Amino acid sequence: MDANSSSKPGHLPRLGEAAYRGRAIVHWTLTVRDRATGWLTPTFTERFRWLLLHGCARHAVSCPIHCLMPDHIHLLIHGWSREGDQRRFIRFVRQHSGHLLAESRHRWQPQAYDHVLRPEESDRFAYERLVHYIAENPVRAGLVKKADEWPHTGTVIPGYPEPSLWQPDFWTRYWRLRKSRVGL
């Protein structure tokens, strides 16, 4: 761990706060305790998407893909301004979705796993490959034959309800929105 890292006993090491702020891109994985299943329903997914929307708007981030699996969730979160704060975002999402999980007598594992993308992982082509890799999780798990058949995968971009990863022009629209939002 370097001088900018932080960790509590029994927790995964974290990079310094700055790594999760601003325009950072982080792949988060939230795992249900004991890899329990039985909580993933259409109602949970709908309510979780509302939480994502509120969390993204509140913490200046977008979620080009979220993929809810039977025992865990993948979120790719992209900071859209200098005000982006992913650690606060993930605390918000874990707290509020934890209440949803509790309705089915489940809980999150104590800590989310994260991977902050390095510059070489966050160029446009590597980024798009990662999004598609995440989208293919249900196919690799044998849950569906094609990624777009999985009803628990989606996109959350605050202020833009229409973009969907499955649209042919998604990436053109996504990069145009991102550029207009952050002035890149």
Side-chain angles (χ1 to χ4, degrees):
M1 234 177 344
D2 63 38
N4 294 327
S5 302
S6 64
S7 184
K8 296 177 187 173
H11 282 79
L12 296 169
R14 293 275 187 233
L15 296 174
E17 293 271 336
Y20 301 91
R21 291 201 175 138
R23 296 180 182 132
I25 304 170
V26 184
H27 179 187
W28 294 93
T29 304
L30 286 67
T31 304
V32 177
R33 186 172 289 226
D34 300 323
R35 291 281 190 171
T37 60
W39 56 272
L40 184 57
T41 65
T43 300
F44 182 93
T45 298
E46 181 180 340
R47 292 171 70 191
F48 186 79
R49 286 179 179 158
W50 278 107
L51 285 175
L52 279 181
L53 176 61
H54 289 286
C56 285
R58 185 179 198 167
H59 298 289
V61 299
S62 71
C63 181
I65 186 165
H66 59 276
C67 182
L68 286 66
M69 297 293 287
D71 63 355
H72 67 283
I73 292 175
H74 291 278
L75 304 169
L76 186 62
I77 306 300
H78 200 162
W80 274 34
S81 77
R82 287 184 181 92
E83 289 75 38
D85 190 331
Q86 295 208 29
R87 297 212 29 207
R88 286 186 178 189
F89 165 81
I90 208 68
R91 278 192 293 270
F92 173 89
V93 169
R94 283 176 53 86
Q95 176 188 357
H96 292 284
S97 62
H99 298 305
L100 298 177
L101 271 180
E103 292 174 8
S104 62
R105 302 183 202 281
H106 293 87
R107 295 185 311 174
W108 291 122
Q109 191 171 286
Q111 188 180 11
Y113 172 81
D114 69 76
H115 174 74
V116 178
L117 273 62
R118 297 180 302 272
E120 65 272 14
E121 296 173 302
S122 56
D123 75 52
R124 182 176 178 155
F125 300 106
Y127 183 81
E128 291 178 16
R129 280 192 305 274
L130 176 58
V131 168
H132 287 288
Y133 178 81
I134 293 168
E136 290 291 324
N137 270 325
V139 175
R140 287 190 299 277
L143 300 168
V144 291
K145 297 228 183 269
K146 293 181 356 186
D148 64 354
E149 296 172 352
W150 186 243
H152 308 287
T153 297
T155 299
V156 174
I157 302 173
Y160 301 92
E162 66 282 347
S164 165
L165 182 59
W166 315 123
Q167 295 167 331
D169 66 343
F170 173 76
W171 287 112
T172 302
R173 294 176 75 198
Y174 181 80
W175 291 112
R176 188 177 324 121
L177 288 171
R178 174 147 169 78
K179 185 176 181 181
S180 70
R181 288 288 304 250
V182 299
L184 295 176

